[in-house]
Amino acid sequence: MRTKLSITVLPGDGIGVEVTREAVRVLRAIAEMHGYDFQFRSEPIGGAAIRETGFPLPPSTLTACLGSEAVLLGAVGGPEFDSLPPDRKPESGLLALRRELGAFANLRPSASYRAIEDCSPLRATVVRGADILVVRELLGGLYFGEPRGFTSDTAALNTMRYSSEEIERIARIAFQQARTRRRKVTSVDKANVLETSQLWRKVVTRVGREFPEIALDHMYVDACAMHLVTNPSRFDVILTENLFGDILSDESAVISGSLGMLASASIGGKVGLFEPVHGSAPDIAGRGIANPLGAIATAALLLRYAGGMEQEARDVESAIAEVLDRGYRTADLVRDQRTQPVTTEQMGAAVVEALSGIADRRHAYHAV
Ligand code: NAD
Ligand code: IPM
Ligand code: MN
């Protein structure tokens, strides 16, 4: 475990800026409570960086990320950049950052919280106890395959490409994660149509033999999309390729009831990249009402994977559950007219308060 951590903060665009502020507030509180030395350095990315420098990932931002021990990112993108070609959009800055960091394993946990079961469009009996980890391959597939581009004004092309090595390394991460959970991996593909998926299935099956204690099954992605909303409790770890993982992880937000709850960690590379699953949410940006709990849960993942601070990570996760138990709701979590929503900032402050209560209780327990 470290007690010093240098963190590059990339707030990005829209609500990315708002939720990241609260995640940093929680990290500062952890540092203060435990006497740790966390250094924060903020850099532009995405639309903010395009406005400042003309580039979505300025070299100075990349250098700062590579020189730090963790990267905390808000979100990138916005409607004013919609008409730019893909390689100049804010999103291309994020994709380049993932590639440069070598962060190929994207972990996206999604669980139901008892206190906000009513937020899910699914029946409480369906979501209760659901606890999924989507392990998304992050550096391959259609996102990065070459050739790509417009071949004329009326035709365009993207390439789906995977090598055995790329599949093997992400499969290994999924099986290792399953060991710490309920020991089940569902590998999701489209092997009835795609050769890349046939290779995926073959390699995952082979890697699975190294993990005899883990139950492995395979599922087509269309069926998985259905099972996720009819019986999410049947899943433990979902292992899948880049684009399927992008789609299925957003879909898994129905379990907690809001995309604003979901966190992610991208590991396996030179430096870990930590970002909530949601985007810049232009429809609510600038109003101070975004849900910061996904970004705060992302800070917990940063503590766990970049800092090796398991107890501190769990404390942040307990603090999130506690504020929900106490009735704090941002607007996306309000289901009845009588509940007054809290702001992004109030939610962040409530988490910090809950955290200090958790630390005090542990202190009192040890003192007895
Ligand atoms: P989005 O995730 O930004 O928003 C989808 C819906 O969820 C919106 O209604 C939004 O208000 C709501 N929502 C998302 N996060 C929320 C939160 N924390 N609190 C409350 N409500 C929340 O997806 P989108 O609208 O399709 O995309 C907007 C922009 O974000 C696009 O430019 C897209 O490319 C980008 N994007 C970036 C990332 C990222 O940087 N990691 C991820 C996804 C989308
Ligand atoms: C995500 C986002 C990104 C992705 C975009 C913004 C490039 O949707 O992190 O889920 O597709 O990976
Ligand atoms: Mn996405």
Side-chain angles (χ1 to χ4, degrees), residues 37-340:
D37 178 11
F38 291 177
Q39 299 292 329
F40 298 92
R41 171 169 165 179
S42 207
E43 296 288 339
I45 192 168
I50 294 176
R51 267 186 237 109
E52 249 180 68
T53 69
F55 301 102
L57 179 66
S60 50
T61 295
L62 178 59
T63 305
C65 292
L66 286 168
S68 60
E69 289 155 321
V71 180
L72 177 67
L73 183 134
V76 296
E80 63 177 288
F81 306 102
D82 275 351
S83 53
L84 290 175
D87 63 343
R88 291 182 44 209
K89 282 169 75 76
E91 289 82 347
S92 73
L94 173 57
L95 295 174
L97 178 63
R98 289 173 180 169
R99 194 188 52 227
E100 294 300 322
L101 295 180
F104 69 86
N106 183 216
L107 312 183
R108 299 189 155 188
S110 190
S112 107
Y113 290 86
R114 197 63 189 254
I116 55 166
E117 269 176 4
D118 63 324
C119 290
S120 176
L122 306 179
R123 279 192 299 278
T125 49
V126 173
V127 291
R128 191 163 300 157
D131 181 358
I132 295 174
L133 177 68
V134 177
V135 176
R136 170 188 179 197
E137 199 292 324
L138 203 58
L139 296 183
L142 283 165
Y143 278 68
F144 292 95
E146 296 284 348
R148 64 179 291 165
F150 282 90
T151 49
S152 72
D153 279 351
T154 54
L157 156 82
N158 290 96
T159 301
M160 175 87 132
R161 200 185 278 280
Y162 268 107
S163 69
S164 299
E165 291 74 26
E166 287 170 309
I167 300 167
E168 203 173 309
R169 64 182 185 175
I170 190 70
R172 208 156 264 131
I173 299 265
F175 287 110
Q176 284 159 357
Q177 287 289 325
R179 259 187 190 151
T180 69
R181 298 171 50 95
R182 299 194 310 284
R183 294 169 185 264
K184 186 174 171 196
V185 170
T186 302
S187 176
V188 174
D189 62 37
K190 188 73 187 171
N192 50 347
V193 177
L194 304 175
E195 285 80 1
T196 44
S197 284
Q198 289 174 342
L199 181 67
W200 183 277
R201 212 172 255 225
K202 194 173 100 188
V203 173
V204 171
T205 303
R206 171 159 51 76
V207 175
R209 288 194 202 107
E210 294 168 29
F211 297 84
E213 73 280 24
I214 310 293
L216 168 66
D217 65 351
H218 301 271
M219 193 180 277
Y220 296 131
V221 62
D222 46 357
C224 179
M226 183 276 294
H227 287 300
L228 256 182
V229 288
T230 49
N231 186 11
S233 303
R234 65 175 287 152
F235 296 106
D236 178 17
V237 174
I238 291 179
L239 162 64
T240 194
E241 67 89 45
N242 205 346
L243 182 62
F244 298 162
D246 179 43
I247 298 167
L248 295 175
S249 57
D250 264 34
E251 190 192 358
S252 78
V254 291
I255 294 169
S256 61
S258 173
L259 189 50
M261 295 295 298
L262 296 193
S264 92
S266 302
I267 58 172
K270 298 176 193 137
V271 181
L273 170 63
F274 301 88
E275 42 174 322
V277 171
H278 65 74
S280 58
D283 53 342
I284 58 163
R287 290 162 56 195
I289 60 167
N291 184 347
L293 294 180
I296 292 171
T298 297
L301 296 179
L302 184 155
L303 292 168
R304 174 171 295 128
Y305 290 108
M309 300 170 179
E310 181 59 31
Q311 187 60 58
E312 292 77 355
R314 285 188 190 188
D315 286 353
V316 172
E317 287 160 354
S318 303
I320 291 171
E322 197 173 310
V323 297
L324 295 172
D325 286 343
R326 286 205 226 139
Y328 286 89
R329 302 280 183 273
T330 40
D332 54 310
L333 301 176
V334 169
R335 283 297 169 273
D336 84 70
Q337 307 286 340
R338 287 160 303 165
T339 308
Q340 180 66 28

